[in-house]
Amino acid sequence: MAPRTDEESRWFWEACARQEFVLQHCVACGVIRFHPRTLCPACLSAETAFVRASGRGEVYTFTVTWQNQSPAWRERLPYVLAWVQLEEGPLVLSNVVDCKPEAVCIGLKVEVVFEDAGEGLAVPRFKPFEGA
Ligand SMILES: [Zn+2]
């Protein structure tokens, strides 16, 4: 299912389709922000630069869902919903995939993977980091 987009966020989902996790960097105060938005939440500046994130982070906290009858989710059961803290600082609410829920723990190192969502968009999810 494609994410709902608007003028503030469509560029982000399109970048994900190019396998890029892009964050906004406030030129005025230096804050790196996620989710996409026009104004900096810290200083309200609209001066924005874009930085390609490493795509790596760690699980800040998570929950495992065992029951969900929504057609979009029931085929994924059980699934992990997690707040992932990126190396660049922002927290991202997403799923941890490609592992059993029992393998997920707070502090688990993860890296982004992009799931095609159709319509030229993709959704970032995270899997256990296997790199060095
Ligand atoms: Zn700012």
Side-chain angles (χ1 to χ4, degrees):
M1 180 176 2
R4 190 175 304 171
T5 65
D6 58 25
E7 286 183 29
E8 284 190 307
S9 67
R10 185 163 181 88
W11 63 268
F12 172 78
W13 306 107
E14 291 173 343
C16 287
R18 297 189 306 270
Q19 311 289 298
E20 298 175 3
F21 198 106
V22 178
L23 297 170
Q24 293 172 300
H25 174 253
C26 177
V27 174
C29 77
V31 162
I32 295 177
R33 64 185 185 261
F34 184 84
H35 58 85
R37 57 199 119 166
T38 301
L39 301 179
C40 172
C43 75
L44 300 181
S45 171
E47 288 185 76
T48 302
F50 296 86
V51 293
R52 187 170 176 173
S54 69
R56 291 187 299 271
E58 65 180 46
V59 173
Y60 179 78
T61 192
F62 70 100
T63 187
V64 179
T65 299
W66 296 90
Q67 297 182 44
N68 186 341
Q69 293 309 309
S70 167
W73 290 98
R74 68 179 163 224
E75 293 175 11
R76 297 173 181 261
L77 291 170
Y79 60 85
V80 176
L81 180 65
W83 281 106
V84 171
Q85 184 152 37
L86 301 176
E87 287 182 340
E88 293 81 5
L91 288 164
V92 177
L93 186 63
S94 184
N95 300 110
V96 178
V97 296
D98 295 344
C99 68
K100 293 187 176 191
E102 297 85 352
V104 178
C105 61
I106 291 172
L108 177 69
K109 303 289 186 197
V110 292
E111 62 185 335
V112 72
V113 291
F114 297 100
E115 185 178 294
D116 180 31
E119 302 177 24
L121 310 174
V123 175
R125 303 199 195 282
F126 292 84
K127 67 175 188 174
F129 181 60
E130 297 167 357

